[in-house]
Amino acid sequence: MNYLIRDVSPAGGPRGELKIEDGVLVAEFSQPGLRDVEVVEAGGLTALPGLVDLHTHLREPGREDAETVLSGSRAAARGGFTAVHAMANTAPVADTAGVVEQVWRLGQEAGYTAVHPIGAVTVGLDGVQLAELGAMADSAAGVRIFSDDGKCVHDPLVMRRALEYVKAFDGVIAQHAQEPRLTGGAQMHEGDVSAALGLPGWPAVAEEAIIARDVLLAGHVGSRLHVCHVSTAGSVDIIRWAKARGVRVTAEVTPHHLLLTDEKVRTFDPVFKVNPPLRTDADVHAVREGLADGTIDIVATDHAPHPTEAKSCEWSAAAMGMTGLETALSIVVATMVEPGLFGWDDVVRVMSTRPAEIAGLPAGTLEPGSAADVVLVDPAARRTVDVAAMASTGSNTPFAGMELPAAVHSTFFAGRPVLAAGELADIGKAHEWAN
């Protein structure tokens, strides 16, 4: 099927048309009067290139009770993502070519979004022995990003060797910056709130010390470093310093670190327990400013679903993490667009174009000739987050019941509508537009 999307505003620009023929965006259909063209009336909607997430936990293989590649892919489609990068902390760990190919093939079978596995840096995420980085890069999955996320590559020599190894194929080491000796037993951000609640604290310096070390190592080696989920004002300063000196460093911030502070922990609701922890109001403002001025390159969800029992317990026993694929765009609009820090072109930059560049994907554009990965957004809509309506298996969202701006109307992946008028398509069957 081919599609004509009429009266749409690309990235908030002048209204026009988008044409999709055989899965590709075209300036004009190849034949006047082309048959099998479905018209999509998009008055009031904004078109963005499909969103790209560099930090998604899909849990499969091994933790299918928390999420599967299929359920996570459906959640991605609902959030407007046409490419996600699946983190390596599965069971077994994605530290071999066999496991990353398994995840990649599961993504292809699901069909709702492109699934690009992230390979582990070290065997079993143990921080000791480098994993099969070259074999994973050469596999059918074509891995280019490697991370022990959930754990920090804390040994500086192992980190140096990893940076040296991936340089040969322009790979990226994505670091979870957490000095383990400074965060043993930590339950939340170390500060006034942790002192008042009597909870062990996770100090900002534990993140900043690792980032400072790693940007120096990346500069020394001349390799690419990506800093996961930046959460402190000091981290933003260090990355800004490193970029000014030509270090090949990129960085991400999560939606929840753009909005929420450690004051939420006073509720003792485990839904607010996350790693790195929610920080102070000053940190939230610093990461927003860092995202606005380009110091922080992208927004990544750190989508981390958990089964109910892992969160419905006392704070100290609860797992860390939040879901995020289905609310990310709205949070960026609430924290960056509505306060006037961003236009829609900036949203495209941090959620589509720049993530695709970091990952080396031919995505993040609406130019003719590119794959038709398109998300249609209703910028005027306001919606109340309904956990029961979510596609993710995980229900651990801190935004449940919150009214948020903007809504994903439709998502086209490789020219097919995988979400149409808010309804997920039944992949493999003819889909009727609901509008």
Side-chain angles (χ1 to χ4, degrees), residues 127-149:
V128 176
Q129 180 184 349
L130 286 184
E132 300 175 358
L133 307 183
M136 288 189 278
D138 292 337
S139 71
V143 176
R144 286 296 178 273
I145 302 176
F146 300 87
S147 180
D148 280 359
D149 184 62

Side-chain angles (χ1 to χ4, degrees), residues 363-387:
T365 177
L366 295 178
E367 289 296 316
S370 58
D373 294 341
V374 183
V375 55
L376 302 181
V377 179
D378 184 349
R382 299 196 71 84
R383 59 166 179 145
T384 300
V385 178
D386 180 3
V387 172

Side-chain angles (χ1 to χ4, degrees), residues 121-122 127-130 133 152-166 173 175 179 210 213-214 217-218 220-221:
V121 177
T122 63
V128 176
Q129 180 184 349
L130 286 184
L133 307 183
C152 179
V153 182
H154 58 84
D155 185 319
L157 183 58
V158 173
M159 187 63 178
R160 172 180 176 166
R161 296 298 181 230
L163 288 164
E164 289 173 332
Y165 197 101
V166 301
I173 299 297
Q175 175 70 294
E179 168 50 62
I210 292 295
R213 182 202 74 178
D214 287 350
L217 284 172
H220 180 69
V221 173

Side-chain angles (χ1 to χ4, degrees), residues 207-208 211 228-237 239-240 251-261 276-299 335-336 341-342 349-350:
E207 175 175 304
E208 294 155 5
I211 295 174
C228 297
H229 37 50
V230 171
S231 68
T232 80
S235 296
V236 177
D237 288 341
I239 294 165
R240 188 177 287 122
E252 70 188 35
V253 63
T254 71
H256 47 272
H257 285 111
L258 288 171
L259 180 62
L260 305 175
T261 73
L278 301 177
R279 303 292 188 178
T280 67
D281 188 61
D283 292 310
V284 167
H285 280 85
V287 294
R288 288 187 186 184
E289 291 173 2
L291 186 64
D293 69 19
T295 301
I296 297 176
D297 300 78
I298 66 169
V299 173
T335 58
M336 302 299 291
L341 295 170
F342 261 16
R349 172 173 55 83
V350 304

Side-chain angles (χ1 to χ4, degrees), residues 13-348:
R15 309 200 73 78
E17 296 179 340
L18 288 174
K19 301 181 179 71
I20 299 172
E21 183 174 355
D22 297 331
V24 176
L25 288 164
V26 295
E28 298 294 339
F29 290 122
S30 59
Q31 304 171 32
L34 185 71
R35 293 183 177 180
D36 299 327
V37 176
E38 186 165 331
V39 177
V40 179
E41 299 292 351
L45 302 182
T46 294
L48 312 178
L51 307 183
V52 178
D53 190 23
L54 294 195
H55 195 145
T56 310
H57 295 274
L58 293 180
R59 305 303 193 198
E60 190 176 12
R63 290 306 309 270
E64 290 81 358
D65 57 328
E67 191 81 288
T68 65
V69 172
L70 175 60
S71 64
S73 296
R74 289 166 62 87
R78 280 181 51 85
F81 291 92
T82 53
V84 299
H85 288 72
M87 273 296 173
N89 57 343
T90 50
V93 171
D95 56 7
T96 66
V99 178
V100 296
E101 285 188 351
Q102 178 188 3
V103 174
W104 176 71
R105 295 189 191 284
L106 287 169
Q108 288 197 315
E109 292 170 7
Y112 284 90
T113 186
V115 174
H116 301 282
I118 290 177
V121 177
T122 63
V123 175
L125 310 178
D126 64 2
V128 176
Q129 180 184 349
L130 286 184
E132 300 175 358
L133 307 183
M136 288 189 278
D138 292 337
S139 71
V143 176
R144 286 296 178 273
I145 302 176
F146 300 87
S147 180
D148 280 359
D149 184 62
K151 294 184 177 179
C152 179
V153 182
H154 58 84
D155 185 319
L157 183 58
V158 173
M159 187 63 178
R160 172 180 176 166
R161 296 298 181 230
L163 288 164
E164 289 173 332
Y165 197 101
V166 301
K167 186 180 178 182
F169 49 85
D170 202 29
V172 183
I173 299 297
Q175 175 70 294
H176 173 109
Q178 178 183 0
E179 168 50 62
R181 292 281 289 167
L182 294 175
T183 55
Q187 292 290 313
M188 64 169 297
H189 171 68
E190 180 181 288
D192 293 343
V193 179
S194 68
L197 299 179
L199 291 175
W202 197 127
V205 69
E207 175 175 304
E208 294 155 5
I210 292 295
I211 295 174
R213 182 202 74 178
D214 287 350
V215 296
L216 292 173
L217 284 172
H220 180 69
V221 173
S223 192
R224 296 172 64 195
L225 169 72
H226 180 74
V227 183
C228 297
H229 37 50
V230 171
S231 68
T232 80
S235 296
V236 177
D237 288 341
I238 294 166
I239 294 165
R240 188 177 287 122
W241 175 89
K243 285 192 169 186
R245 282 153 181 78
V247 176
R248 302 177 71 193
V249 58
T250 55
E252 70 188 35
V253 63
T254 71
H256 47 272
H257 285 111
L258 288 171
L259 180 62
L260 305 175
T261 73
D262 61 345
E263 289 291 334
K264 291 291 186 182
V265 183
R266 293 187 188 275
T267 66
F268 282 103
D269 184 342
V271 78
F272 296 110
K273 188 174 180 180
V274 65
N275 186 8
L278 301 177
R279 303 292 188 178
T280 67
D281 188 61
D283 292 310
V284 167
H285 280 85
V287 294
R288 288 187 186 184
E289 291 173 2
L291 186 64
D293 69 19
T295 301
I296 297 176
D297 300 78
I298 66 169
V299 173
T301 68
D302 195 6
H303 175 80
H306 289 291
T308 302
E309 60 270 22
K311 283 292 194 179
S312 297
C313 55
E314 66 181 40
W315 179 276
S316 60
M320 296 180 175
M322 306 168 173
T323 62
L325 285 171
E326 294 171 76
T327 51
L329 180 62
S330 291
I331 299 299
V332 171
V333 173
T335 58
M336 302 299 291
V337 177
E338 290 194 334
L341 295 170
F342 261 16
W344 280 100
D345 55 340
D346 296 305
V347 175
V348 171

